[in-house]
Structures are given as C-alpha cells and as structure tokens.
Amino acid sequence: MNRFPSPPPSSRRQFLGLSGGTVAAALLGAAGCSAPGGGASSAQAAGASGTGAKTLTKIGLDYPFTQIPLYSALVKLSTAAGKKRGVSLVTTNDAASADAQAGNLRTWVAQKIPAIVSFPMVFEATESIAKAATDAGLIWVTYGGSLEHQSADIQFNFLKGGTLLGEAAAQWAQEQLGGKGKIAFLTDDTIQLGRERTKGMIDAFTKAAPGVDVVAREQAIDPDTGLSKARAVLAKHPDLNLVLGVTDAAAYGAYKALQQTGRATTDAKTFVGGQDGAAPSLLAIKQGTFYRASAALAPQDIADAVVDVPLAVAAGKANPSVQVPITLVGPGDTARIDVLLAQNA
C-alpha cells in the first residue's frame, strides 16, 4: 500500500535535476594527515630533479559520482584553479560504477598521467591500482580517505560533519519539541566517508536528545532513494518530526517526501538536515523552510586541494596532505550560504 502518489515524470525529472548534484560534495573530508612516506618517493620517481622538485603540468581528477550537481562545480572550479597554476585537468567518466572507475584508472596508469587524484568507490579494490601508479613513478592523491600506497591525501572530517548536524538537530528537538518526537536517519554504511558521517550524526543526536524515538535507519545517499525511503517511513509514522541525512541529496529527497504528504514547508515541528552543502538544500535553508541545516563543504576549498596537493607533492613539500574544512550552516547564515551558492553555480 502506498499512501503517496508517484510524481509525474516531468516533476520527477525536475526534482532530480534540481537535487541530483549534491552527493559528490558529501564525499569530501578532512583529517589533517601527515604525508605518507610514499609521497616523497612518488615525487622523486615522477621526475623530481636533483633539487627535489619537478614540473607538473597535468592532473587527472577521478571523481566517480558524475551524476551529482557537485561534480560539475568541482570540475569547473578545479579546471580554473589548475589554469591559474599552469596545470591542465583531465577527468574520467565513471558514472558511479566501481568497475568503470577501475578500468579508467588502469588506463590512466598505462598512459602515465603524471598525477592522479582519485575518490575510490571501493578503497580496498583501488589499493593495487594506486600501487601500480606509485610504482610507475606517478603521483597518487587519495580523495576522501587514505590508501597504503599513495603520495598524499585530501581528507574531510566526516565524523565532525555528522556530529555538527546531530548536535544542531538535537538542540532544535529540545527547544521546539520538548525533547520528544520521532526521527529517521538516512545513512551510508558502504564507504569510510558514509560510515563516519553516519556515526557522527547518530551518536551526537541520540546522546543530546535521548527522549526522541529513532523510528528508522535507512541506507540512502541520493535524492531518489531518500525520497522513496522517507515515503516508506512516513507511511508508518506520519507524525515523523526529524530526518537527518548522510548527504544533502538524500535529505532533500526526504524533504520532498514530507511535502508530498501535505507538510507545509514552514512547519514548526519538522526538521530536515543533511551534509555536503548542496545547492538545493542551501536554497531551502535560506528560504526559511523546515530544511534547517547542512554540514557544508565549500567547492572552492576542494577544487584548490585537487590542484595544490599534487603540486605540493611534485615540489617535494613535506606533509602535503590537506583537510578540507566543514561548517554547519542554518537559516541565519545567509551570507555564507550565498558564497557557497555562488561556488556551486
């Protein structure tokens, strides 16, 4: 039994077009890592001169989630950042397929793309490719986590992002619901980023708002799945008060599901929040809806890291890895939201 009418094809396409690009951002992170030993050796093997530096003119960006809005913003900003530094950017087209990603990365290693920045869909399976790259003298930068064989990594404090969101939602529940109500979590248990974000938001919320009933924990990272999972939860719990998402994309799907049940967008007893800083979610926050918070990453920060970290490895810099900052934005952060929206444009 489905209490919710399916949106017509045109509405569905419009919704996906609006919200389909946020997941990628969710895949960023930071953890202030020191440079692995492989960094120096890779830089040297990639052609570092006797002074310990080499010239790098091409970087390959392998970001598998090409369907999400963040992808196009990330490519645009990374290309511009590279141009300023005399570096050209090439990209893969993995279409969120781990097999396609592995094939594309092996091709790049065979072509000896001098520096590869990759966000592995399956970290364990990518380890052998990273080893082949570094053995060949190429620079390998892992995005969103760490591998044993790498030159450096670009990390995001996934646990912190989840914690910020969970704490904000718990405070709202205490203030607006008297510490009672029902919450559903849209989670991800498949990759390091998702597991840490999930743990952060659930642990922080349940600790600070123990009187709120957890009625569902569903795997969802994209808007389509977030929509369908939230509709199923609402069929059992039409009085659901809160939905927190491991990504803004999934949370935005829940936001649409709640609206489809007739929930007013300004409902005072509803809270939806996500992670990434996706444009549709940022707009909903700015407009004062019940989409109330996002643990947001700045696309420009990520794009700069995509270019700067490989260049730092090539230059022989010590500790070239970086941690991209995450900040929580809410209805009162309109100036920050405008900055993030401009970067996502």
Side-chain angles (χ1 to χ4, degrees), residues 134-185:
T134 53
D135 286 349
L138 310 178
I139 294 171
W140 180 282
V141 176
T142 310
Y143 178 105
S146 299
L147 293 174
E148 179 181 355
H149 299 90
Q150 64 177 22
S151 308
D153 52 41
I154 299 170
Q155 295 243 9
F156 312 81
N157 195 330
F158 311 125
L159 188 67
K160 177 183 176 183
T163 299
L164 289 173
L165 178 63
E167 289 175 344
Q171 181 178 350
W172 179 89
Q174 295 290 7
E175 294 173 352
Q176 303 300 323
L177 305 176
K180 305 296 182 182
K182 295 182 178 180
I183 185 170
F185 295 107

Side-chain angles (χ1 to χ4, degrees), residues 10 70-71 76 102 124 130 144 151 157 175 177 218 222 260 316:
S10 60
L70 175 67
Y71 176 74
K76 182 185 73 173
E124 295 82 357
S151 308
N157 195 330
E175 294 173 352
L177 305 176
E218 300 286 348
D222 63 272
Q260 290 174 9

Side-chain angles (χ1 to χ4, degrees), residues 203-228:
D203 286 356
F205 182 86
T206 55
K207 178 180 179 181
V212 176
D213 293 333
V214 178
V215 298
R217 172 177 169 160
E218 300 286 348
Q219 169 77 27
I221 63 171
D222 63 272
D224 233 4
T225 307
L227 174 69
S228 62

Side-chain angles (χ1 to χ4, degrees), residues 31-45 114-120 123 126-155 192 309-310 313 319-322:
C33 308
S34 60
S41 61
S42 294
Q44 291 162 1
I116 298 171
V117 179
S118 176
F119 180 14
F123 275 67
T126 310
E127 190 69 63
S128 62
I129 303 174
K131 182 178 186 302
T134 53
D135 286 349
L138 310 178
I139 294 171
W140 180 282
V141 176
T142 310
Y143 178 105
S146 299
L147 293 174
E148 179 181 355
H149 299 90
Q150 64 177 22
S151 308
D153 52 41
I154 299 170
Q155 295 243 9
Q192 175 185 344
V309 173
V313 174
N319 303 323
S321 298
V322 300

